[in-house]
Amino acid sequence: MCFKVSSLACCSPVRMARATRVLLELLGQQIQLRNVYTHHPAMLYWAFSSPWTHPSIQAGVMTLWLEEDQSECRKDLMDLVLMNHDASCCLLELMQFGKLLIVKRAMQVMEDAILHQFQEGNDGLIQTLWDIIPQALARFGTNNSSLQAVKVGGLLQLACMAIPHNLSASAVVRAAYLLTRVLGKKIVENADIPLTFYKGAICHAFLLLLVSLELQDKRALAIYVSEPKFLNVLHTAMESQHKTICSTALHFLSHLLHYQMIIQHVGCDHTMRIDSKQVLQLLKNPDFDVLSASLQLTFSLLQSELIHPIIRLSENDQDIISSEFLQTLLIKLQSMSIKNIPRISNICWKCLGALLHFSSTRFVEANIHMHLATQPWTYFLIRSMTRTASNIRSYDFLYFIHQWLQCFQSCQPAPRFKMVRMVFKKERAVCPGLHSETLTAVATMILNHSDFSNVTSSTKQLVQQIITGILESGADLCEDTCDSLRRCLRQVHCSS
């Protein structure tokens, strides 16, 4: 055997051919491969470089190689997979049909190889992996054993690492259809189905939605929103203790609701309800990704005006939302906004703006939006945040300010600062001092950063609406401030 290994390691074609002949003769005598195998890179490379080696022998050599748990083994095999197509196909076969230990180690090697290719701008392996996903899902539909679930889940997680450049819309739709069929038969985190499968399946299904929309194809969206069992899986996944599953499910539902609003002719026959208590509980989650996803879903729920949405905000299984919940949500969002946490604060501003719009347009009792807009803490929050220079260029913060101003315009008292009766059976005055101070702070923020040449057109439009709202508010502002605001309004208009 030492002769054969040394011969395989030699560059001489004559010695290579001779060693190959000896090995094949031994295997032809029904001697097990394990009995003649030596753990040496020469054996591994021989199996995939010799034109006379049968695929079964290649699979056997790679299996024996993976049984050795050494970091050098992974590196040698990764190098082979990167330069040999037969080796990459063999590794994918083992990932689908091998024993559990071999499957896990094969996936580690494939992950390393995909990352290496991705850094070099190559997507050959990831393309091959995406090509086998539909077949793997189809097989899992008929053989959904625990081991098969681990294998399919691992493949799906690997496929989420990158997207092939030449991915077709039809391939995306087929995979989305198969995933909804498979997931629709399961319950998230079922004791009989490994968590690996659900993590991979939900993440890959979400990625398919994003890819489909990028390809300007809405068929995957239509498949998802029309399958009640699949939507129930996502609804259940929102409560998962696994952070990745929970955050992905929240993002998934938020995107489905968002694109259901902006894409016409995407109907939904099944509406899920998310209770207000569940929303507040999600907003207490300490994990950054879960909290960010929860805020995004909250924004979509507050913004949605669909008659038949896929998911609707409710309270005690009723579509009527209490004023107590709105006030609690306002306080929660304000407390997170003032912390100025990157990414989180911007979403909070969007949610606060959407909350004020929701309370002024779709809440059953009148003037709740005025109660929220005139809270002392609301005034304090706005004045504090106008001192942060970056907020003048933040579309989300300006959106909140615009909606705050809209509250006063939609419920303008006849005499200035008239007392209005609120839903809490209390009376609150629009305090002239607080109101004027806050409007002055907003005006000062705009005037101190009056160069809007480098902001987006939508941000400029918001600035114009805010300036107009301040000027039309009737607040006690000094004449110099009003004149400066008018000049600024003309400048922003000219730069649009």
Side-chain angles (χ1 to χ4, degrees), residues 186-435:
K186 315 296 176 188
I187 301 176
V188 172
E189 297 183 41
N190 186 303
D192 299 327
I193 301 297
L195 199 62
T196 304
F197 169 74
Y198 285 109
K199 179 183 176 183
I202 292 175
C203 289
H204 192 68
F206 181 47
L207 182 59
L208 290 172
L209 174 66
L210 299 180
V211 173
S212 175
L213 294 169
E214 182 70 22
L215 295 172
Q216 299 184 345
D217 188 309
K218 62 182 182 181
R219 287 178 292 175
L221 173 66
I223 290 172
Y224 290 149
V225 301
S226 63
E227 183 51 62
K229 291 182 179 179
F230 176 73
L231 294 175
N232 286 334
V233 168
L234 294 180
H235 194 204
T236 307
M238 288 169 47
E239 301 175 344
S240 172
Q241 297 301 309
H242 193 286
K243 296 174 183 177
T244 302
I245 291 178
C246 178
S247 61
T248 305
L250 289 166
H251 277 305
F252 208 146
L253 288 169
S254 176
H255 276 69
L256 289 177
L257 183 56
H258 173 72
Y259 284 104
Q260 188 189 6
M261 286 188 284
I262 65 175
I263 297 179
Q264 298 180 353
H265 311 301
V266 180
C268 179
D269 298 327
H270 176 75
T271 297
M272 299 180 300
R273 285 183 168 85
I274 177 170
D275 192 79
S276 56
K277 293 179 181 178
Q278 188 178 8
V279 171
L280 295 175
Q281 190 62 38
L282 285 168
L283 294 178
K284 295 178 182 178
N285 198 297
D287 182 75
F288 181 89
D289 291 333
V290 174
L291 178 59
S292 176
S294 301
L295 285 166
Q296 193 61 53
L297 179 60
T298 302
F299 172 72
S300 297
L301 289 168
L302 293 171
Q303 190 187 39
S304 171
E305 297 181 359
L306 294 171
I307 299 175
H308 299 292
I310 62 163
I311 185 167
R312 183 194 303 276
L313 184 63
S314 68
E315 196 164 346
N316 300 321
D317 291 328
Q318 301 296 320
D319 293 338
I320 299 176
I321 305 301
S322 69
S323 55
E324 288 80 6
F325 166 71
L326 295 181
Q327 187 175 33
T328 303
L329 181 59
L330 176 80
I331 295 171
K332 180 63 179 176
L333 292 172
Q334 288 178 337
S335 66
M336 288 191 288
S337 299
I338 203 166
K339 293 177 182 178
N340 212 18
I341 303 172
R343 286 175 51 195
I344 294 295
S345 290
N346 281 343
I347 308 177
C348 286
W349 294 130
K350 286 200 307 182
C351 288
L352 283 168
L355 174 60
L356 292 177
H357 180 73
F358 177 91
S359 61
S360 63
T361 58
R362 280 174 291 146
F363 194 71
V364 293
E365 298 189 56
N367 291 331
I368 177 62
H369 59 292
M370 283 292 289
H371 180 80
L372 301 179
T374 57
Q375 289 284 319
W377 183 254
T378 303
Y379 286 124
F380 172 77
L381 178 68
I382 294 173
R383 293 200 308 275
S384 299
M385 290 298 102
T386 54
R387 301 188 189 105
T388 304
S390 60
N391 282 335
I392 187 59
R393 297 180 180 276
S394 168
Y395 178 89
D396 300 321
F397 178 70
L398 294 175
Y399 169 72
F400 162 61
I401 296 296
H402 171 61
Q403 292 299 333
W404 176 71
L405 286 169
Q406 287 291 105
C407 290
F408 299 96
Q409 293 177 359
S410 63
C411 187
Q412 193 72 37
R416 189 180 298 180
F417 312 124
K418 178 184 176 183
M419 303 284 284
V420 292
R421 182 165 297 278
M422 306 313 300
V423 296
F424 296 99
K425 308 306 179 185
K426 298 178 182 179
E427 291 185 340
R428 176 183 300 281
V430 179
C431 177
L434 276 177
H435 194 63

Side-chain angles (χ1 to χ4, degrees), residues 2-296:
C2 291
F3 161 72
K4 289 189 282 292
V5 172
S6 62
S7 299
L8 295 174
C10 180
C11 295
S12 170
V14 176
R15 297 190 69 184
M16 171 69 80
R18 184 178 177 187
T20 299
R21 185 172 63 252
V22 172
L23 280 172
L24 294 177
E25 287 176 357
L26 288 171
L27 295 175
Q29 297 171 12
Q30 297 185 343
I31 296 176
Q32 291 187 358
L33 179 62
R34 186 179 298 275
N35 295 334
V36 297
Y37 172 80
T38 299
H39 193 71
H40 189 283
M43 282 290 293
L44 179 65
Y45 280 75
W46 161 77
F48 295 93
S49 60
S50 173
W52 301 285
T53 310
H54 193 272
S56 61
I57 298 177
Q58 293 176 335
V61 170
M62 188 173 287
T63 299
L64 293 169
W65 185 267
L66 287 168
E67 288 180 358
E68 297 288 334
D69 187 17
Q70 300 175 14
S71 58
E72 312 87 67
C73 298
R74 287 173 55 182
K75 177 64 168 61
D76 289 333
L77 183 52
M78 185 194 76
D79 291 341
L80 176 63
V81 167
L82 287 171
M83 67 180 185
N84 189 291
H85 179 71
D86 290 342
S88 62
C89 291
C90 182
L91 189 65
L92 286 169
E93 285 291 312
L94 291 181
M95 288 163 56
Q96 298 176 77
F97 304 106
K99 296 179 180 179
L100 183 59
L101 176 65
I102 302 301
V103 169
K104 290 183 176 179
R105 292 179 181 174
M107 288 184 178
Q108 291 174 347
V109 174
M110 183 59 73
E111 180 179 353
D112 294 341
I114 291 173
L115 284 173
H116 185 86
Q117 274 201 347
F118 183 75
Q119 292 169 356
E120 293 185 343
N122 191 344
D123 66 348
L125 285 176
I126 199 70
Q127 179 68 63
T128 305
L129 180 60
W130 276 70
D131 289 342
I132 68 173
I133 291 294
Q135 294 90 330
L137 288 172
R139 282 195 303 271
F140 185 60
T142 57
N143 175 21
N144 53 8
S145 64
S146 178
L147 176 59
Q148 190 65 21
V150 171
K151 296 174 181 177
V152 176
L155 289 173
L156 293 172
Q157 288 188 52
L158 284 175
C160 290
M161 292 177 61
I163 302 170
H165 293 109
N166 298 321
L167 189 63
S168 67
S170 58
V172 172
V173 172
R174 184 186 177 198
Y177 172 76
L178 290 169
L179 265 176
T180 55
R181 294 292 299 273
V182 170
L183 274 171
K185 298 177 182 177
K186 315 296 176 188
I187 301 176
V188 172
E189 297 183 41
N190 186 303
D192 299 327
I193 301 297
L195 199 62
T196 304
F197 169 74
Y198 285 109
K199 179 183 176 183
I202 292 175
C203 289
H204 192 68
F206 181 47
L207 182 59
L208 290 172
L209 174 66
L210 299 180
V211 173
S212 175
L213 294 169
E214 182 70 22
L215 295 172
Q216 299 184 345
D217 188 309
K218 62 182 182 181
R219 287 178 292 175
L221 173 66
I223 290 172
Y224 290 149
V225 301
S226 63
E227 183 51 62
K229 291 182 179 179
F230 176 73
L231 294 175
N232 286 334
V233 168
L234 294 180
H235 194 204
T236 307
M238 288 169 47
E239 301 175 344
S240 172
Q241 297 301 309
H242 193 286
K243 296 174 183 177
T244 302
I245 291 178
C246 178
S247 61
T248 305
L250 289 166
H251 277 305
F252 208 146
L253 288 169
S254 176
H255 276 69
L256 289 177
L257 183 56
H258 173 72
Y259 284 104
Q260 188 189 6
M261 286 188 284
I262 65 175
I263 297 179
Q264 298 180 353
H265 311 301
V266 180
C268 179
D269 298 327
H270 176 75
T271 297
M272 299 180 300
R273 285 183 168 85
I274 177 170
D275 192 79
S276 56
K277 293 179 181 178
Q278 188 178 8
V279 171
L280 295 175
Q281 190 62 38
L282 285 168
L283 294 178
K284 295 178 182 178
N285 198 297
D287 182 75
F288 181 89
D289 291 333
V290 174
L291 178 59
S292 176
S294 301
L295 285 166
Q296 193 61 53

